[in-house]
């Protein structure tokens, strides 16, 4: 069945008339995604690749039945765009934008509590349910439809993992970039709950990194509630303290968020942690083989 | 972005947060004249660097005459201060702050910060002022109060009463500290700070609150809406390579190893560093040229790496997704025309059009080592750095 996205997902692209928005809309449509509308305030009536542009998300829903939004909106306007989508009642909001101020995200998180919308990202490569729908900037063709759920805080490292997993003969149910920022929408822990209930998903691969404690929270939850195999890799074992490693959220602050602590916590929760990123796919295969 | 104590205190003044009288100096003569203007019989001379732990490292000194102030300034200015929070090479002191001595009744700790796991801002107070708050948190947790602040309400009266109760304040003092926290929170949210810290916050013998120290860190993502803060940026503390990287929009962090690496994407860049270590090498840096791996950034990245004399081999690891590997290969070939690389170069291009990329590289007259898998690339780079 996959999670978040499937064949019935009707996507509205916020920021569709911008350079990134146009480019990735084309890519998503070529993949087979149902991109039904775009939103750029003040540009209603225009079309991008034949897709109608509206002034508001509300209108995109009313006219085209959009139920998932993806944002390619510049940082100063992105928080507003997310909250607009949530107020309009979109089920999933996927925010690609990198560089949103953290105070804006604190407001967004408080705002979302009063809505039914779920946020993925920001600073995310997006979501793909291979063979069904892609709402993101990842290369579609490296993916394959299958049974492995993937969740990650990064982009290209996820592609690397997908590539290795496909090499071992497995496809993905859904692959999600949860976002590299310190405050994000949906956590690993929440996604594990979706994967637990998804009958297409047989196992989950989690790609974590230094900073925060989202991986630990997921591990503690998984120990009690997750029945499927869970394999993980944590990036940043060689990262120095107090330096931001590219992602705004990838930072060891005051000794917290170290890779070694995360690995220890995951292992104590019974999760198989890969220590060499070159064998992410191989290790997943071994874990699944042992179970059979 | 971190700023200096004296800069933070200028902002405190804007928000009516009381600070000691004082001024900065960049020469001993200036320091003497600041002290003479201040008057009194006690002065504090404070080294201005962007890291904490100054007191224990000898960067904060109490003296009693303008002559001693000048002598202390002479002693500190131009010196490198190494504290528990600086790198091993320390930070150069270019400015000192001279303040009047304050007669202290009590010392507290006060801060507002973003608590990423709670996804809210939080205020933090402690009865143990002037100490390392991390240490207090681990040894005396009952002496710390942490209150999360709802973005819609700000700091509420009951939260201020909790602060007063922990700090055992009188009614008048409770009122004052409440106003001080409101001001701190206003500064924090209006200027998009990620940390505002006063350690110590003191109650003077005259029974008023004073921010004896001031530390502010700003959210880099929000600097676009605070042009006024950019003048505080201390570019002099960056080295040449870090400056080039910042201008090119690259994320670059130099480390101590000898295997340089250049990667597209932060997660893959960290994983590449990790695998270099896994195969017995030591990464020389973190360098993320962005997921899209643009040609201009590739050239800048190579330039940064070859200018580091510690680096004995370079590993370029690119996962081409939307950006095609053949384009990246052309970028590398183009970049190598303008930069002289005299050390082994291991290249791994994976993803879209990687075969075309390999043949382009092989046809070029450049010398490099090709690798297909991540482990092969790391092993080859580690071996190359050892020879």
């Amino acid at each position: 069945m996959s999670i978040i996205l499937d064949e019935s997902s009707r996507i509205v692209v916020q920021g569709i008339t911008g350079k990134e928005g146009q480019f990735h809309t084309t890519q998503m449509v070529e993949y087979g995604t149902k991109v039904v509308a775009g939103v750029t305030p003040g540009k209603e009536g225009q079309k991008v690749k034949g897709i109608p542009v509206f002034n508001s998300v509300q209108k995109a829903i009313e006219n085209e039945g959009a139920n998932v939004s993806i944002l390619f909106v510049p940082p100063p306007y992105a928080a507003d765009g997310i909250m607009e989508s949530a107020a309009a009642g979109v089920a999933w909001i996927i925010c690609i934008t990198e560089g949103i101020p953290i105070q804006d995200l604190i407001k967004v998180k408080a705002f979302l509590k009063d809505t039914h919308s779920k946020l993925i990202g920001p600073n995310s490569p997006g979501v793909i349910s291979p063979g069904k729908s892609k709402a993101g900037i990842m290369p579609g063709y490296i993916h394959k439809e299958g049974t492995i759920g993937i969740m990650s805080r990064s982009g290209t490292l996820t592609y690397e993992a997908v590539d290795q997993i496909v090499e071992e003969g497995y496809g993905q149910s859904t692959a999600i970039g949860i976002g590299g920022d310190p405050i994000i929408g949906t956590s690993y822990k929440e996604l594990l709950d979706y994967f637990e209930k998804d009958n297409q998903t047989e196992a989950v691969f989690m790609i974590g990194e230094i900073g925060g404690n989202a991986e630990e929270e997921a591990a503690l939850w998984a120990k009690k509630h997750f029945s499927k195999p869970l394999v993980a890799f944590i990036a940043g074992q060689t990262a120095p303290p107090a330096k931001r490693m590219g992602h705004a959220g990838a930072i060891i602050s005051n000794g917290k968020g170290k890779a070694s602590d995360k690995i220890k916590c995951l292992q104590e929760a019974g999760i198989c942690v890969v220590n060499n990123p070159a064998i992410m796919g191989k290790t997943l295969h071994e874990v699944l083989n042992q179970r059979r | 972005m971190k700023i200096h104590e004296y800069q933070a205190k200028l902002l405190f003044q804007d928000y009516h947060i009381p600070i000691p009288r004082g001024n900065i100096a960049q020469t001993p003569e200036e320091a003497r004249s600041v002290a003479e203007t201040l008057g009194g019989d006690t002065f504090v001379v404070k080294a201005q660097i962007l890291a904490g732990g100054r007191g224990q490292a000898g960067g904060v000194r109490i003296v009693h005459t303008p002559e001693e102030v000048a002598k202390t300034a002479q002693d500190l200015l131009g010196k490198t201060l190494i504290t528990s929070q600086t790198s091993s090479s320390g930070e150069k002191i270019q400015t000192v702050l001279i303040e009047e001595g304050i007669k202290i009744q009590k010392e507290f700790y006060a801060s507002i910060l973003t608590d990423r796991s709670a996804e809210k801002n939080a205020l933090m107070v402690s009865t143990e002022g002037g100490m390392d708050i991390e240490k207090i948190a681990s040894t005396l947790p009952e002496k710390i109060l942490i209150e999360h602040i709802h973005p819609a309400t700000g700091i509420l009266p009951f939260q201020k009463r909790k602060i007063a109760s922990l700090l055992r304040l009188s009614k008048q003092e409770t009122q004052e500290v409440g106003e001080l926290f409101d001001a701190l929170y206003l500064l924090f949210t209006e200027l998009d700070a990620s940390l505002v810290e006063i350690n110590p916050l003191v109650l003077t013998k005259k029974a008023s609150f004073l921010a004896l120290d001031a530390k502010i860190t700003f959210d880099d993502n929000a600097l676009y809406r605070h042009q006024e803060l950019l003048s505080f940026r201390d570019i002099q503390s960056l080295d040449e390579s870090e400056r080039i990287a910042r201008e090119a929009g690259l994320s670059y962090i130099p480390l101590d190893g000898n295997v340089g690496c250049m990667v597209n994407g932060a997660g893959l860049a960290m994983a590449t560093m990790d695998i270099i270590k896994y195969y017995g090498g030591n990464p020389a840096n973190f360098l993320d040229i962005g997921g899209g791996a643009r040609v201009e950034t590739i050239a800048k990245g190579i330039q940064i790496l070859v200018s580091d004399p510690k680096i004995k081999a370079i590993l370029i690891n690119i996962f081409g997704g939307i950006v095609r590997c053949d384009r990246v290969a052309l970028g590398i070939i183009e970049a190598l025309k303008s930069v002289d690389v005299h050390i082994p170069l291991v290249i791994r291009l994976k993803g879209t059009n990687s075969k075309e990329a390999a043949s382009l590289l092989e046809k070029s007259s450049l010398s490099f080592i090709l690798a297909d898998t991540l482990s092969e690339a790391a092993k080859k780079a580690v071996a190359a750095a050892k020879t």
Side-chain angles (χ1 to χ4, degrees):
Chain A
M1 216 179 73
S2 73
I3 69 170
I4 306 172
L5 294 180
D6 59 27
E7 299 88 340
S8 67
S9 302
R10 296 175 68 80
I11 316 285
V12 50
V13 178
Q14 291 179 262
I16 195 169
T17 53
K19 197 176 144 217
E20 294 285 304
Q22 287 195 34
F23 178 78
H24 288 292
T25 296
T26 311
Q27 297 279 323
M28 288 188 284
V29 169
E30 279 174 12
Y31 190 75
T33 306
K34 291 192 184 84
V35 180
V36 297
V39 170
T40 300
K43 300 208 171 162
E44 187 158 296
Q46 291 188 11
K47 284 197 169 176
V48 171
K49 316 282 168 195
I51 298 158
V53 179
F54 298 94
N55 279 343
S56 70
V57 177
Q58 180 76 45
K59 284 196 169 169
I61 294 174
E62 283 166 9
N63 288 280
E64 304 296 335
N67 54 16
V68 172
S69 74
I70 180 167
L71 281 93
F72 294 97
V73 174
Y77 318 106
D80 179 51
I82 294 170
M83 293 188 278
E84 183 192 347
S85 257
V90 163
W92 287 95
I93 303 163
I94 298 161
C95 185
I96 307 300
T97 311
E98 176 174 8
I100 303 178
I102 199 149
Q103 293 303 318
D104 290 7
L105 289 170
I106 287 175
K107 287 179 190 144
V108 164
K109 291 293 287 193
F111 187 91
L112 288 178
K113 283 197 178 122
D114 290 335
T115 71
H116 298 294
S117 301
K118 301 286 288 179
L119 172 68
I120 296 288
N123 193 5
S124 154
V127 179
I128 183 167
S129 292
K132 296 170 185 151
S133 186
K134 160 182 136 160
I137 60 173
M138 67 285 280
Y141 84 95
I142 64 166
H143 298 78
K144 198 176 110 183
E145 190 168 356
T147 59
I148 310 299
I150 298 180
M151 46 186 199
S152 169
R153 270 159 73 181
S154 90
T156 48
L157 180 56
T158 316
Y159 313 160
E160 175 74 40
V162 165
D163 195 60
Q164 291 182 21
I165 288 169
V166 168
E167 193 105 320
E168 295 293 331
Y170 299 91
Q172 302 85 47
S173 52
T174 304
I176 304 135
I178 68 168
D181 277 1
I183 293 182
I184 53 165
T186 310
S187 64
Y188 291 123
K189 187 179 94 176
E190 292 168 87
L191 290 173
L192 277 181
D193 196 20
Y194 284 95
F195 278 130
E196 173 70 23
K197 290 167 188 154
D198 175 41
N199 54 19
Q200 185 182 333
T201 304
E202 196 187 325
V204 170
F205 197 93
M206 171 165 79
I207 300 161
E209 64 189 33
I210 56 162
N213 60 352
E215 293 83 358
E216 290 93 321
E217 279 183 358
L220 295 176
W221 187 88
K223 198 179 173 182
K224 286 185 188 157
H225 308 287
F226 195 67
S227 65
K228 304 174 184 184
L230 178 57
V231 181
F233 173 73
I234 305 290
Q237 296 183 51
T238 48
K243 299 275 185 191
R244 255 168 233 292
M245 306 300 280
H247 291 151
I251 182 165
I252 300 168
S253 43
N254 300 321
K256 289 186 203 116
K258 278 192 264 182
S260 54
D261 293 343
K262 287 174 188 285
I263 292 169
K264 192 164 166 262
C265 176
L266 265 60
Q267 284 171 337
E268 280 169 4
I271 297 163
C272 173
V273 183
V274 188
N275 56 5
N276 174 358
I279 56 164
M280 293 186 284
K282 216 173 130 207
T283 310
L284 178 71
H285 173 67
E286 280 163 12
V287 168
L288 288 173
N289 244 1
Q290 276 167 18
R291 253 174 88 95
R292 278 176 186 144
Chain B
M1 179 178 82
K2 288 180 177 172
I3 61 171
H4 290 294
E5 175 195 2
Y6 76 91
Q7 296 167 326
K9 282 180 169 167
L10 290 174
L11 294 172
F12 276 16
Q13 257 179 332
D14 291 347
Y15 283 83
H16 308 293
I17 298 162
I19 54 168
R21 293 187 305 129
N23 212 335
I24 52 165
Q26 277 162 340
T27 65
E29 290 66 41
E30 279 175 21
R32 179 201 305 268
S33 123
V34 169
E36 281 166 358
T37 312
L38 284 172
D41 56 8
T42 310
F43 306 95
V44 187
V45 184
K46 307 178 86 177
Q48 299 296 293
I49 58 167
L50 292 174
R54 292 174 301 168
Q56 281 162 342
V60 179
R61 299 185 196 173
I62 296 169
V63 293
H64 299 282
T65 63
E67 284 67 40
E68 286 173 353
V69 168
K71 210 170 145 273
T72 309
Q74 170 109 49
D75 203 23
L76 289 172
L77 287 165
K79 285 260 169 58
T80 300
L81 196 62
I82 301 169
T83 81
S84 56
Q85 292 178 34
T86 61
S87 68
S88 55
S89 51
E91 240 183 82
K92 199 172 167 190
I93 305 166
Q94 275 154 340
T95 306
V96 291
L97 172 65
I98 300 106
E99 289 182 334
E100 57 176 346
I102 301 292
K103 295 203 166 62
I104 297 166
Q105 202 189 122
K106 284 180 190 164
E107 288 186 78
F108 307 119
Y109 171 94
S111 68
I112 295 180
L113 60 132
T114 302
D115 179 347
R116 70 186 276 181
S117 50
E119 302 180 327
K120 283 194 178 80
N121 298 317
L123 68 81
M124 195 148 96
V125 283
S126 170
T127 50
E128 310 300 294
M131 284 172 61
D132 179 6
I133 194 68
E134 296 303 321
K135 248 184 215 145
I136 301 166
S138 60
T139 55
L140 300 163
E142 72 281 4
K143 307 255 182 185
I144 296 184
L145 171 74
I146 298 171
E147 284 289 310
H148 288 112
I149 305 166
H150 195 286
T153 62
I155 304 169
L156 290 160
F158 82 88
Q159 296 180 308
K160 293 175 187 168
R161 291 198 296 274
K162 276 193 181 175
I163 298 171
S165 157
L166 178 79
L167 304 185
R168 297 170 183 278
L169 301 179
S170 70
K171 205 173 167 194
Q172 171 63 28
E173 290 160 0
T174 305
Q175 175 72 22
E176 262 189 62
V177 92
E179 282 165 15
L180 187 133
F181 265 100
D182 283 338
L184 264 190
Y185 183 63
L186 190 65
L187 181 158
F188 184 91
T189 49
E190 278 190 347
L191 299 182
D192 282 289
S194 52
L195 171 74
V196 178
E197 187 181 67
I198 308 177
N199 190 19
L201 168 68
V202 302
L203 188 58
T204 65
K205 290 234 162 112
K206 288 178 185 160
S208 60
F209 286 98
L210 214 52
L212 225 52
D213 196 8
K215 185 174 170 185
I216 305 180
T217 309
F218 295 103
D219 175 8
D220 290 339
N221 282 353
L223 287 175
Y224 73 85
R225 55 188 179 201
H226 301 290
Q227 293 303 312
E228 76 279 11
L229 296 176
L230 293 180
S231 63
F232 286 151
R233 177 166 267 168
D234 189 354
I235 309 171
Q236 284 176 319
S237 67
L238 295 177
D239 71 20
E240 178 69 14
S241 296
E242 287 175 292
R243 243 198 309 261
I244 295 174
R246 172 163 288 177
E247 279 160 16
L250 301 173
S251 202
Y252 168 68
I253 296 160
L255 301 166
D256 294 331
N258 64 3
V259 184
C261 48
M262 184 172 93
V263 187
N264 66 330
L268 190 60
M270 278 188 273
T272 304
M273 287 162 55
D274 293 348
I275 198 170
I276 288 168
K277 181 94 181 175
Y278 182 85
Y279 286 115
N282 259 319
N285 64 281
F286 169 90
L287 177 55
D288 170 15
I289 57 167
R294 295 207 319 270
V295 171
E296 316 84 85
T297 52
I298 291 171
K300 287 278 180 202
I302 295 176
Q303 191 191 336
I304 289 168
L305 294 183
V306 295
S307 66
D308 181 348
K310 289 196 311 295
I311 295 182
K312 301 296 178 224
I314 294 174
L315 168 55
I316 298 179
N317 183 21
I318 306 287
F319 198 106
I322 300 289
V323 53
R324 290 165 12 216
C325 288
D326 51 336
R327 288 281 304 275
V328 174
L330 287 174
I332 294 172
I333 293 165
E334 193 58 38
L336 291 178
K337 281 182 192 159
S338 58
V339 193
D340 185 27
V341 183
H342 46 274
I343 49 175
L345 187 62
V346 179
I347 303 175
R348 181 209 182 210
L349 301 177
K350 189 82 182 165
T352 317
N353 290 6
S354 58
K355 287 204 182 82
E356 289 85 340
S359 80
L360 275 172
L361 285 170
E362 270 156 8
K363 269 186 245 158
S364 76
S365 55
L366 303 160
S367 81
F368 46 77
I369 306 161
L370 272 181
D372 181 43
T373 66
L374 192 49
S375 52
E376 186 192 344
K379 282 181 196 162
K380 283 181 171 171
V382 171
K386 279 182 182 155
T387 53

